[in-house]
Amino acid sequence: MDPEHSLGRPLLTEQALTGQIDLHCHSTASDGILSPTALVSRAKSAGVTLLALTDHDTVAGIDEAEAEARAQGLTLLPGIELTALWGRRVVHIVGLNVDRRATALVQAIRLRDQLRRERAQQIAERLEKRGFAGALAGARALAGEGVIGRPHFARWMVEAGYVSDSGKAFKRYLGAGKIGDVAVPWPDMVETISAIRSAGGAAVLAHPLKYGLTRTKLRALLVDFCAAAGDAVEVVCGQQNPVQTREILSLLDQVRAPAAGPRGPLLASLGSDFHQPDQPWRALGCVRLPAGVEPVWNLWQTDANQIQ
Ligand code: AMP
Ligand code: MN
Ligand code: MN
Ligand code: MN
């Protein structure tokens, strides 16, 4: 392991690894429905002993989540899900165990905050032109103090009676190629990985099958991710069947030998990508890694042999 890199802080207690582990979920600090407190409390009820809160482009929910985690006796890893570009494609990079005061991370967040505000205005202008009056005020009200995103527009459209559910709002107005799909100059993946690692965190490629990439493109993404010193890939995330899990494992095998990055083979992460109780995503804490992969949390184990 790179000795100058400060991964390993804090070390995990043995107790943290005794129950369910969920390293990807959202609160009201971004597009989740539950407050950080309610989220942690729900995780505890689901048997989670190690949880990472990974809100989109913000760490604003972490203090509250940490306080509740202390009260409930579970381990909380400070995390984030950063929006980034790989070429012209949007990818999500999860940062785990980040120092949220690190300058590189603070800057990464500030930049995205600005981009998200500008994008929200553009989305609203486009929607309003199509007759959806009040879109910006409506989405902002639903975002509250949290980071604004397309799901807030989707929920507003549901509340206003324009569509019956958020999925339809994405399908018709907000998803890829629709009017609300505004191109944003998000920072690129290499810079994003570097910001996470400068903040002492592990950089994890989120939900690799969610980008609509062909196998060949996905392999190229993984090779670039390795080369940029990415640490891990979500082998299990959100709604995913076992066939898809095997597909990711097979891709990892393919990039392992020729393209092992500066930090060696990619590690495996997992998460529910939980946003709300009645979601089509996986339930909070209901995730398990397949056998034969090295978990990302080995980076924060006490036994130094486990991180070789
Ligand atoms: P944004 O970060 O604002 O670009 O919005 C992306 C978020 O929208 C994702 O993190 C999901 O929470 C949500 N999302 C993406 N696609 C869909 C969909 N088809 N239906 C419902 N929610 C979606
Ligand atoms: Mn989301
Ligand atoms: Mn995501
Ligand atoms: Mn997510």
Side-chain angles (χ1 to χ4, degrees):
M1 190 167 110
D2 174 0
E4 290 184 2
H5 191 57
S6 58
L7 274 171
R9 161 206 49 81
L11 293 172
L12 294 175
T13 60
E14 270 178 40
Q15 201 272 333
L17 302 175
T18 55
Q20 294 298 114
I21 297 173
D22 193 334
L23 304 180
H24 186 155
C25 62
H26 298 272
S27 75
T28 45
S30 66
D31 59 5
I33 288 286
L34 301 182
S35 69
T37 302
L39 183 78
V40 170
S41 171
R42 190 178 178 94
K44 175 76 181 179
S45 306
V48 174
T49 51
L50 178 62
L51 181 74
L53 176 59
T54 57
D55 273 306
H56 295 285
D57 301 330
T58 183
V59 288
I62 304 283
D63 281 347
E64 185 186 318
E66 260 179 358
E68 183 64 12
R70 257 194 306 276
Q72 298 266 0
L74 65 84
T75 302
L76 185 95
L77 287 178
I80 190 163
E81 182 175 13
L82 287 171
T83 316
L85 285 181
W86 178 61
R88 283 177 298 110
R89 295 166 200 275
V90 176
V91 291
H92 288 177
I93 310 295
V94 165
L96 295 176
N97 214 1
V98 289
D99 173 0
R100 52 204 188 277
R101 283 161 286 269
T103 312
L105 189 63
V106 171
Q107 279 170 356
I109 291 169
R110 194 174 298 144
L111 193 59
R112 286 163 175 85
D113 181 56
Q114 184 64 28
L115 290 170
R116 280 184 173 273
R117 284 173 202 273
E118 288 166 9
R119 179 182 67 161
Q121 252 160 11
Q122 286 174 285
I123 293 175
E125 274 165 29
R126 290 180 180 196
L127 290 178
E128 298 205 6
K129 268 191 201 143
R130 287 277 283 265
F132 298 105
L136 190 57
R140 276 196 180 140
L142 289 171
E145 289 183 1
V147 156
I148 194 164
R150 284 178 293 166
H152 301 110
F153 284 95
R155 284 176 204 150
W156 171 75
M157 293 182 114
V158 175
E159 280 191 6
Y162 293 121
V163 286
S164 54
D165 60 74
S166 285
K168 289 210 176 73
F170 270 87
K171 203 166 173 187
R172 293 185 196 155
Y173 306 108
L174 299 162
K178 304 298 170 189
I179 50 158
D181 178 27
V182 174
V184 179
W186 304 109
D188 83 71
M189 181 175 81
V190 174
E191 187 184 330
T192 303
I193 294 169
S194 162
I196 290 169
R197 301 202 65 222
S198 303
V204 182
L205 179 66
H207 43 65
L209 299 183
K210 284 276 186 72
Y211 306 123
L213 299 173
T214 61
R215 285 253 185 136
T216 310
K217 281 270 180 227
L218 195 48
R219 210 175 297 127
L221 169 59
L222 287 171
V223 168
D224 286 355
F225 183 79
C226 269
D231 296 275
V233 170
E234 283 181 348
V235 164
V236 177
C237 184
Q239 220 182 20
Q240 186 178 304
N241 65 41
V243 177
Q244 292 173 309
T245 304
R246 276 202 300 281
E247 195 175 332
I248 297 173
L249 291 176
S250 143
L251 279 160
L252 285 182
D253 272 345
Q254 291 169 38
V255 299
R256 186 160 285 156
R263 304 216 29 243
L266 290 169
L267 302 172
S269 189
L270 83 174
S272 58
D273 205 4
F274 178 87
H275 284 69
Q276 62 191 79
D278 57 348
Q279 67 183 356
W281 281 264
R282 201 181 280 257
L284 190 63
C286 277
V287 273
R288 206 168 271 283
L289 275 186
V293 294
E294 178 161 21
V296 66
W297 53 86
N298 276 5
L299 290 169
W300 311 299
Q301 294 268 43
T302 44
D303 181 355
N305 293 329
Q306 298 201 36
I307 56 175
Q308 295 302 305

